[in-house]
Amino acid sequence: INWMGNRDDVANGWLGIHGTSKGAELALLSASLFSEIRSVVALNGFAVAFSGIVPWSESEDLPPAWLYNNEPFPYLSPKNPIDIALKCKEMWNERKGNPLGEWYAALTSNPVEVKNAEIPVEKINGSILLISGKEDDVDTTGLSNIAISRLKKFNSPNDCEHIVYSGAGHSIGIPN
């Protein structure tokens, strides 16, 4: 933020951030923490924080993806749903079904845990653009809509738009 803010080729007082997939989580979290970020584009991401990306395993715990001041953000899910993890691993290895969809559906199955892991987008000091592919293996459309619900709930004055493209999947940002 300091480096960008001190550049002559960056408009004074105006920084934006873009993230795709897991990076969209980071973009939304960063903008919720740092008021210098005035615009966010989240492409096929989530308005909730998930665990770190780890191979499906038998480990009982999943690590946080994001820390701030050495403290993890609340996330989905510290406890590994081992039975689902192993099922998804098998699906992935056999190239059968939608293991990512199964995995994220399992992690988001408890509404209380989802609520606790929501990113506080109402703290963002600027506009938000959410872009989702309707055919994504994961429900990024629904997980992005959480941001819109929070903005309404907290009467945020920020502009927010969610564009959903039919026929587009997780790689919507990559041409061809």
Side-chain angles (χ1 to χ4, degrees):
I1 291 171
N2 291 335
W3 180 79
M4 289 291 291
N6 289 322
R7 293 187 53 84
D8 291 335
D9 55 346
V10 174
N12 189 25
W14 188 261
L15 292 177
I17 191 169
H18 167 271
T20 300
S21 191
K22 194 76 174 154
E25 263 180 67
L26 180 59
L28 291 168
L29 281 167
S30 297
S32 74
L33 288 170
F34 303 105
S35 62
E36 298 90 345
I37 299 173
R38 304 286 311 270
S39 180
V40 181
V41 176
L43 178 62
N44 272 338
F46 322 111
V48 295
F50 282 95
S51 64
I53 298 174
V54 294
W56 293 302
S57 73
E58 295 182 43
S59 174
E60 289 187 22
D61 299 311
L62 296 172
W66 314 112
L67 302 174
Y68 183 65
N69 291 331
N70 289 324
E71 292 294 323
F73 286 94
Y75 66 98
L76 292 168
S77 156
K79 293 297 175 199
N80 185 12
I82 296 169
D83 55 334
I84 299 296
L86 296 178
K87 176 183 174 186
C88 291
K89 182 177 184 177
E90 182 179 323
M91 291 170 70
W92 181 266
N93 289 337
E94 294 177 3
R95 305 290 189 255
K96 291 182 180 175
N98 178 5
L100 292 172
E102 292 266 342
W103 178 247
Y104 282 98
L107 293 180
T108 58
S109 64
N110 183 323
V112 173
E113 289 178 6
V114 171
K115 186 111 184 102
N116 291 336
E118 289 179 359
I119 296 170
V121 295
E122 67 279 1
K123 294 180 179 180
I124 293 174
N125 186 30
S127 301
I128 303 168
L129 175 60
L130 308 160
I131 302 171
S132 301
K134 186 79 171 159
E135 313 314 319
D136 197 339
D137 288 341
V138 178
D139 182 19
T140 53
T141 301
L143 292 167
S144 290
N145 281 336
I146 290 171
I148 295 168
S149 297
R150 282 191 73 94
L151 292 170
K152 288 178 182 175
K153 176 182 174 183
F154 291 97
N155 298 312
S156 172
N158 293 338
D159 291 329
C160 181
E161 185 175 359
H162 187 193
I163 301 171
V164 179
Y165 289 98
S166 293
H170 201 68
S171 298
I172 187 174
I174 303 169
N176 302 317

